[in-house]
Amino acid sequence: MLRKSVRAFFSKTSADSATFKFGEATFETHNCPAPPSESTATKQELLDLYKVMVEIRRLETACDQAYKAKLIRGFCHLSTGQEAIAAGMEAAITKQDSIITAYRCHGFTLTRGQTAMSIIAELMGRKTGCSLGKGGSMHLFGNEFYGGNGIVGAQVPVGAGIAFAHKYRNNGAMCFSLYGDGAANQGQVFEAYNMAKLWGLPVTFVCENNMYGMGTSAARAAASTRYYSRGDYIPGVRVNGMDVLAVREACKYARDWNLSGNGPLVLEMVTYRYGGHSMSDPGTTYRTREEIQQMRSKNDAINGIKERIISSGLGTEEELKAIDKQIRADIDKAVAEATASGEPSMAELFTDVYVKGSEPPTIRGTTPDQIKTFAQ
């Protein structure tokens, strides 16, 4: 299922673009045609995809270091290894389309337009964070990005609701509602499938199958690991989620499917996380170090796009090194700015609780004697 090699499967279409053919196992389908078997990309598109994935990885590395330095507390789930999904999805959609996901959300927050500084600041609980320091790692938001959700599977029906809003408004947009293989057995996922199919909603349900739900392998947790076929009456596609061009083409396909009046679709992105479930999980008690190293060396998404750029002659190693260097400097600067930012004031406890004008007379604070009174 995962990419073996991309080196031999391309043809130069012009001085600044190339067409890359996918391997036979890149896509598997359930009750629908397959996405395109090849992808044409310009030099700039390839460099942009490379840059986004490197930026996400460098951001996650910085978060890892900040957590170990105790600048970040509480829960922190990193997506190192899974960068192709956020990068490829964003390259396939518009800013009017919506994304909602679970708690491994830093990369999606970045691609949706929030800055690295605002993400890191949020993880540190600083007032310059994208949720004003009140949400933390699992509660990041942006334009048409609805989180960052901490309750396993709970975001899936919310994604169906966002799609319902798009259909109601007739605004030509759709929603990607993401969840992990660990959440795939939740009843609310299937309830969302049913409602989406009944109402013909423009939603694509995306299962990020990184092989492990916390510390349990998918095969031990699910009677069927063919997550793309679990919609039954909803068509589905399994995608090599370690190939950013395959992700891009699959998401283009899904968006077109939704907006052509075909109703919902299920995508299963087969991917892999290099780290543990969260920062408290070393990630090596339920799998071997050799397994992790093999995935890094043979299937890494960043190395894959790098091979394509260089082997197609659309870019050089020096160009990519320059991008790496700039991103490293940008993330280092973001960490410094986030660290220097202050914490939110206690008064912020009482903001953004109710829509302005709909507040009750009072709200209790963290102790019974801490009362906020609103003008009526």
Side-chain angles (χ1 to χ4, degrees), residues 260-274:
S260 297
N262 295 314
L265 188 72
V266 176
L267 294 182
E268 176 190 346
M269 298 289 183
V270 182
T271 185
Y272 197 82
R273 57 171 164 82
Y274 299 151

Side-chain angles (χ1 to χ4, degrees), residues 36 73 109 119 136 146 170 224 253 282 302 358 365 372:
R73 305 276 186 161
T109 311
I119 295 169
Y146 295 87
N170 193 28
S224 170
Y253 173 95
I302 295 176
S358 68
K372 167 69 175 178

Side-chain angles (χ1 to χ4, degrees), residues 36-99:
S37 60
E38 60 184 30
S39 178
T40 298
T42 65
K43 174 179 179 176
Q44 192 58 55
E45 287 171 341
L46 293 171
L47 291 178
D48 286 346
L49 288 168
Y50 177 82
K51 180 180 178 182
V52 170
M53 288 195 291
V54 171
E55 191 172 10
I56 293 172
R57 184 163 298 183
R58 189 66 191 174
L59 171 67
E60 298 291 52
T61 299
C63 292
D64 178 276
Q65 294 169 346
Y67 194 96
K68 290 172 180 174
K70 297 184 178 180
L71 293 171
I72 296 173
R73 305 276 186 161
F75 292 105
C76 185
H77 306 82
L78 305 182
S79 63
T80 307
Q82 300 182 203
E83 298 87 355
I85 300 174
M89 183 175 291
E90 190 63 36
I93 63 177
T94 73
K95 292 300 182 183
Q96 287 69 50
D97 296 317
S98 306
I99 297 176

Side-chain angles (χ1 to χ4, degrees), residues 320-330:
L320 300 182
K321 285 181 178 178
I323 291 173
D324 294 345
K325 183 178 180 180
Q326 184 60 55
I327 289 173
R328 190 176 300 112
D330 290 345

Side-chain angles (χ1 to χ4, degrees), residues 291-307:
E291 176 185 311
I292 301 168
Q293 183 54 40
Q294 183 179 36
M295 293 298 293
R296 275 185 177 273
S297 62
K298 294 186 177 181
N299 296 287
D300 185 73
I302 295 176
N303 287 342
I305 197 71
K306 181 177 180 180
E307 285 180 33

